[in-house]
Amino acid sequence: MVNAILPPNSTPLERGLEAATKRLSAIPYNVHTLNDPATCPANVLPFLAYALSVDTWDHTWPETTKRKVVAAAIAVHRVKGTLGAVLDALKAVDMDAGVSEWFQHDGAPYTFKIDINLFDKPLTSDDLTLALAVIENAKNTRSHLDAITIHLANRSDAPKLASALISSQEMTVYPYQIPEFTHHTDTPHIGATIQFLHDLTILPQGTH
């Protein structure tokens, strides 16, 4: 087996380069898999995300989320600046969302609202920060986010039961009264007292 293909008159620099690059074939990566988000090694995903100009990235994401974001990068950039890009970018980070433009809900011109549907999971402050960053990077410069509405939903086929509890208390508050007042004098005195009572009812918000 021939380990060198340089001619006998090669310079020391050329032979050094040959020796340094000869080990490249021993790298266990198949270059044909590096550009595929589905087969790219997990430790190479950040570099693939950079190569595809992914706008929002978090190293703490699960590997499945990272692959989804990288896989959606080309599709998002093709329509970047549209509401479709916003929805695709949110979907890539596992957020089921809908959009309503200003002329659909009589809002201020060039604004839009986002509805996020949560299925069996809460929305943390970090998730909200991520949603705002994704929307800002995918929308066009002219349009502005007016509001985000969170909807709690359940995809289960099991029967759904709900209950509510409202409790109340009755309390009577009287003004302070002197239990006994004694006054000794030979001069007759006439006295009077006035007591006012008010009825106040406090109900939970939304009840009558």
Side-chain angles (χ1 to χ4, degrees):
M1 181 177 179
V2 179
N3 294 324
I5 61 174
L6 291 176
N9 61 343
S10 300
T11 65
L13 176 60
E14 291 172 337
R15 294 189 180 278
L17 290 174
E18 180 189 50
T21 57
K22 184 168 56 177
R23 295 175 296 170
L24 291 177
S25 60
I27 297 177
Y29 292 139
N30 187 342
V31 294
H32 300 290
T33 66
L34 296 181
N35 290 328
D36 188 347
T39 59
C40 178
N43 61 326
V44 184
L45 282 172
F47 303 100
L48 183 56
Y50 177 80
L52 296 177
S53 299
V54 172
D55 295 312
T56 306
W57 186 262
D58 189 341
H59 70 278
T60 63
W61 284 342
E63 182 179 331
T64 54
T65 301
K66 293 179 180 179
R67 294 188 184 277
K68 287 181 181 179
V69 170
V70 175
I74 294 178
V76 170
H77 278 287
R78 283 175 177 168
V79 293
K80 191 173 183 179
T82 68
L83 294 178
V86 173
L87 297 180
D88 289 342
L90 288 173
K91 184 178 179 180
V93 292
D94 296 324
M95 292 188 183
D96 184 82
V99 64
S100 174
E101 297 191 73
W102 62 275
F103 52 82
Q104 295 174 310
H105 58 263
D106 195 25
Y110 309 115
T111 62
F112 62 97
K113 296 181 178 181
I114 293 292
D115 296 313
I116 297 180
N117 303 310
L118 297 181
F119 297 99
D120 305 322
K121 71 173 184 178
L123 183 74
T124 65
S125 59
D126 292 338
D127 293 333
L128 185 57
T129 301
L130 172 61
L132 292 174
V134 169
I135 293 170
E136 182 66 25
N137 289 327
K139 74 175 186 66
N140 61 52
T141 305
R142 180 196 63 184
S143 300
H144 300 280
L145 178 63
D146 184 43
I148 292 182
T149 304
I150 309 299
H151 301 276
L152 299 179
N154 192 331
R155 290 175 174 170
S156 173
D157 295 330
K160 301 174 179 62
L161 302 177
S163 62
L165 175 65
I166 298 179
S167 62
S168 63
Q169 291 181 336
E170 291 187 2
M171 180 183 299
T172 303
V173 180
Y174 293 102
Y176 175 75
Q177 298 178 359
I178 300 177
E180 183 178 355
F181 181 79
T182 304
H183 180 67
H184 298 283
T185 180
D186 296 332
T187 305
H189 285 77
I190 299 176
T193 182
I194 300 177
Q195 179 175 303
F196 296 95
L197 298 177
H198 297 276
D199 290 332
L200 177 64
T201 301
I202 301 177
L203 299 175
Q205 184 177 1
T207 60
H208 300 284

